[in-house]
Amino acid sequence: MAKLFRCSIRKHSKKHLEIKMEYPLDETLRNSIYNLDFYFFFPSQLHMNEKKIGVDNFLNTIQVNTRFSSPLIPLGKVIDTDFHLSPLIRIENLLKQSNLETKKIQSNLLYELQTLSNLYRAETRNF
């Protein structure tokens, strides 16, 4: 079953919008790049125009926070040695590398440990 792209927008506070997007990642690709185009339309009563606010000022005040959701991998699958997407398998493969001191390996290791802890948290919460 194919996963679908989903997007929702809600008022986060008086001056903030929250844009939540979910899009499927292709697990066969090592890296993916996504380009997102946003169009903002403001009522004239807000007086948000190029003279008053300025394009650069407006763009510089946009704050982006990226949050990754917990992957939906059951704990039984995490300990499966044949499941190549398991964070445990990926951690084991990283630890086998001789250049553990490099920033890239350390960053990847941290990412896999965070993924593992998020999986555990999500699965125990669902339990």
Side-chain angles (χ1 to χ4, degrees):
M1 177 177 10
K3 295 179 183 177
L4 300 175
F5 172 82
R6 289 188 280 177
C7 182
S8 63
I9 300 174
R10 73 175 183 93
K11 180 180 176 183
H12 188 65
S13 67
K14 192 174 183 179
K15 295 183 177 182
H16 296 93
L17 291 176
E18 179 179 272
I19 301 170
K20 182 178 180 180
M21 292 179 295
E22 295 179 34
Y23 46 88
L25 299 176
D26 185 349
E27 64 186 48
T28 62
L29 299 175
R30 185 165 170 84
N31 294 310
S32 298
I33 295 173
Y34 293 87
N35 292 317
L36 302 172
D37 294 319
F38 288 94
Y39 299 91
F40 294 96
F41 299 94
F42 300 100
S44 60
Q45 296 90 333
L46 292 177
H47 304 290
M48 292 189 67
N49 55 48
E50 192 170 350
K51 286 183 180 179
K52 183 161 182 142
I53 303 292
V55 174
D56 288 338
N57 191 31
F58 174 75
L59 292 175
N60 288 331
T61 59
I62 292 178
Q63 182 178 352
V64 176
N65 296 312
T66 304
R67 187 177 331 150
F68 298 100
S69 60
S70 300
L72 301 174
I73 302 173
L75 288 178
K77 199 77 170 149
V78 171
I79 60 172
D80 182 355
T81 55
D82 293 326
F83 185 59
H84 72 283
L85 293 178
S86 168
L88 285 177
I89 302 302
R90 294 164 67 103
I91 289 168
E92 182 180 30
N93 290 337
L94 286 168
L95 291 175
K96 287 179 183 176
Q97 297 184 23
S98 60
N99 54 350
L100 289 175
E101 299 301 317
T102 66
K103 292 275 189 206
K104 182 170 175 41
I105 298 294
Q106 290 175 356
S107 175
N108 289 347
L109 193 55
L110 179 60
Y111 172 81
E112 295 301 338
L113 288 168
Q114 289 171 330
T115 301
L116 182 61
S117 64
N118 286 338
L119 270 170
Y120 180 75
R121 181 181 46 81
E123 284 295 306
T124 54
R125 182 182 60 230
N126 292 338
F127 182 73

